[in-house]
Amino acid sequence: MARDSLTITDNRTGKSYEVPVEAGTIRAVDLRQIKAGADDFGLMSYDPAFINTASTRSAITEVDGERGILLYRGYPIEQLCEQGTYLEIAYLILNGELPTAAQLEAWTHEVLHHTFVHENIKELMQAFRYDAHPMGMFISTVAALSSFYPEASDVESAENRRYLITRLIAKVPTIAAFSYRHNRGLPYVYPNNNLSYCGNFLSMIFKMSEPEYRVNRTLEQALDILFIMHADHEQNCSTNAMRAIGSSRVDPFSALAGAAAALYGPLHGGANEAVLRMLAQIGDVRQVPAFIERVKSGEGRLMGFGHRVYKNYDPRARLIKRVAEQVFEVTGRNPLIDIAVELERIALQDDYFVSRKLYPNVDFYSGIIYQVMGLPVDLFPVLFAIPRTVGWLAQWEEMIMDPEQKIARPRQIYTGPAQRDYVPLKKR
Ligand code: CMC
């Protein structure tokens, strides 16, 4: 009769072991009982880059990479982008259920009334070099926020966690916008709490001498959709960093700075920046075949293509393509879209990409939209970090509340020299 277990025979000893199978996994610690001798530590699993290891149970986001499906708390990303608004979906991700009208109103009010940062934070940001990369400023400033909230280290209190989560979600757009204004040598614009989350962000970015910034509805909605689709993506590199750092019970500001640093890399959230640079470098649709050949021969990657989990079209890439067309109606067409579309067309017919299941990911088209909106390329990772703050915090809180979690501490296979005696300098 079928049993939910795995029988393992250790050919070193001839012994057999039965380990339970639950939710399609075995517990790595169950392997520890398998020993070649009395003083053997016990078998471990080796999985660099967590290719086949689940590090947690999670009820937040589900990615079905084979079928190209993304669900937040069970709801398809397409429905959330078409019918939801960013703060509503943030509430869903954090709380597990869609808010009622009253809950949404209270949550929106709470977030929009904590968008200001302490003046010292502003002064701190002003101390950066005039051309500092906005992401470097963002990471450092989020970390610095912990020093403004001494109570932030009390992560065991549910009430305090909610207080900190709200503060962070409210303040990241302000920090992001200040980093942009600093980089451009423009005066920082204070938040306008009468605007929506995205409208206020656009105001803090673009407002000049006008008494009130007039938000373009199409651009506000496009940004809202982009924020929804970047809000969470289960156990990616930066979320894993958030959980790992937070597992030491450090405050969420410090953990989030670490997560944002992980996002900055070109293989993760820095990819949208890398895509734009790549498209600009290709420069012309006629150069696309030659560029594809260079990628195939190992000269660099096709940025914005491929994903550890998606082995089918990333549903966010499909949605973004549609948003791009709406934005172009307001801003005019970004000529880079033609190069991107041609790259996608050729790549999806080419055996190199087909056999490796490489499809466009979320970053392939997002930068093209940000660029026509007038946002500079080096702000792109920051634009990713603003909405991902919600996912990081939801995953952080889930980790804190999970009785199975402990401080994250992987094992290693030691490959260095065996124990040896120190040799004095004169004898070396
Ligand atoms: N262009 C060309 N070849 C690629 C690419 C690419 N973008 N991505 C993967 N490959 C090849 C890779 O060379 C390897 O080939 P081979 O088997 O011959 O050695 C094979 O495909 C498998 O690649 P991998 O590096 O083992 O795959 P991974 O799961 O470790 O990497 C990835 C996933 C996203 C880091 C990678 O696909 C990549 O570098 N893509 C470009 C950067 C990018 O767009 N990142 C954004 C990811 S989505 C947003 C986010 O979550 O941050």
Side-chain angles (χ1 to χ4, degrees):
M1 212 178 68
R3 286 207 304 271
D4 285 334
S5 66
L6 186 75
T7 300
I8 303 167
T9 303
D10 186 348
N11 294 323
R12 298 171 302 175
T13 60
K15 280 196 194 164
S16 277
Y17 303 81
E18 188 173 348
V19 296
V21 174
E22 199 194 335
T25 60
I26 60 162
R27 282 181 180 261
V29 78
D30 284 344
L31 301 175
R32 188 74 71 74
Q33 60 182 310
I34 303 174
K35 298 184 180 195
D39 56 355
D40 185 356
F41 176 78
L43 204 63
M44 293 192 301
S45 60
Y46 175 57
D47 189 10
F50 299 111
I51 301 277
N52 196 39
T53 294
S55 63
T56 186
R57 294 170 191 271
S58 182
I60 302 171
T61 294
E62 187 182 359
V63 179
D64 181 337
E66 293 302 323
R67 296 194 292 151
I69 291 173
L70 168 60
L71 311 172
Y72 294 160
R73 301 281 187 183
Y75 295 103
I77 190 70
E78 293 83 356
Q79 291 179 22
L80 298 177
C81 285
E82 277 156 20
Q83 298 174 58
T85 56
Y86 176 65
L87 283 184
E88 180 192 5
I89 307 313
Y91 183 101
L92 168 72
I93 290 173
L94 288 161
N95 299 291
E97 296 297 338
L98 287 165
T100 61
Q103 285 167 332
L104 181 58
E105 197 189 325
W107 163 243
T108 303
H109 182 273
E110 180 84 346
V111 171
L112 296 185
H113 284 79
H114 289 104
T115 48
F116 275 71
V117 291
H118 195 290
E119 281 295 288
N120 288 163
I121 282 285
K122 197 184 91 180
E123 286 154 19
L124 185 100
M125 294 186 78
Q126 278 166 338
F128 276 92
R129 221 182 116 92
Y130 72 97
D131 60 352
H133 194 291
M135 195 60 171
M137 293 179 72
F138 181 86
I139 293 166
S140 320
T141 309
V142 168
L145 269 186
S146 75
S147 65
F148 289 75
Y149 293 93
E151 68 279 27
S153 55
D154 181 10
V155 299
E156 303 300 339
S157 152
E159 196 188 334
N160 197 40
R161 282 199 303 269
R162 282 298 142 145
Y163 168 84
L164 299 169
I165 287 172
T166 313
R167 296 300 175 286
L168 262 161
I169 293 171
K171 290 179 200 317
V172 285
T174 312
I175 295 170
F178 282 10
S179 74
Y180 164 82
R181 302 286 296 202
H182 182 84
N183 196 260
R184 299 270 131 160
L186 294 168
Y188 301 179
V189 176
Y190 287 111
N192 177 347
N193 296 348
N194 297 320
L195 299 174
S196 71
Y197 191 80
C198 289
N200 172 48
F201 179 65
L202 291 171
S203 164
M204 291 189 292
I205 291 277
F206 292 124
K207 185 174 179 298
M208 295 305 287
S209 60
E210 64 275 35
E212 177 130 5
Y213 177 75
R214 296 252 313 268
V215 181
N216 180 291
R217 196 77 192 108
T218 306
L219 300 188
E220 184 185 21
Q221 273 173 350
L223 195 60
D224 204 72
I225 293 175
L226 283 161
F227 278 8
I228 293 174
M229 67 178 80
H230 282 89
D232 193 45
H233 211 241
E234 53 124 302
Q235 306 312 313
N236 55 82
C237 175
S238 56
T239 302
N240 185 53
M242 182 82 195
R243 282 178 171 264
I245 300 170
S247 75
S248 73
R249 295 302 191 263
V250 74
D251 67 86
F253 298 100
S254 303
L256 203 131
L263 185 76
Y264 192 9
L267 299 188
H268 191 10
N272 51 16
E273 182 174 348
V275 169
L276 255 267
R277 296 195 196 285
M278 173 189 77
L279 295 176
Q281 190 201 335
I282 296 171
D284 190 296
V285 173
R286 283 167 299 178
Q287 301 299 326
V288 167
F291 180 80
I292 294 269
E293 285 313 309
R294 286 207 296 279
V295 169
K296 285 163 62 179
S297 66
E299 283 180 52
R301 292 198 158 192
L302 178 48
M303 299 312 286
F305 256 67
H307 199 273
R308 173 63 56 78
V309 182
Y310 289 117
K311 300 302 168 198
N312 199 326
Y313 214 97
D314 180 338
R316 300 169 300 174
R318 192 177 287 121
L319 286 164
I320 286 194
K321 243 171 136 176
R322 234 184 294 151
V323 175
E325 293 304 331
Q326 288 159 7
V327 171
F328 292 165
E329 281 175 24
V330 176
T331 61
R333 204 171 165 74
N334 186 338
L336 294 181
I337 188 97
D338 299 325
I339 300 175
V341 167
E342 182 65 357
L343 272 172
E344 180 185 335
R345 191 187 67 79
I346 297 192
L348 294 186
Q349 290 174 1
D350 192 300
D351 188 55
Y352 175 93
F353 296 92
V354 174
S355 63
R356 290 171 177 79
K357 298 188 174 172
L358 300 171
Y359 291 88
N361 60 51
V362 68
D363 290 323
F364 194 62
Y365 289 105
S366 60
I368 295 176
I369 303 182
Y370 290 141
Q371 194 182 46
V372 285
M373 287 171 83
L375 298 162
V377 169
D378 51 12
L379 196 67
F380 293 179
V382 178
L383 294 166
F384 195 155
I386 298 171
R388 187 53 62 86
T389 292
V390 164
W392 288 330
L393 291 168
Q395 301 265 353
W396 166 76
E397 187 167 51
E398 188 177 56
M399 179 275 303
I400 297 277
M401 293 195 309
D402 184 344
E404 279 199 312
Q405 292 293 341
K406 289 172 178 283
I407 187 164
R409 206 302 185 187
R411 293 277 173 180
Q412 65 165 11
I413 300 173
Y414 176 66
T415 59
Q419 182 174 336
R420 50 186 172 162
D421 289 326
Y422 176 79
V423 181
L425 196 56
K426 273 189 273 171
K427 292 196 176 168
R428 271 178 244 157

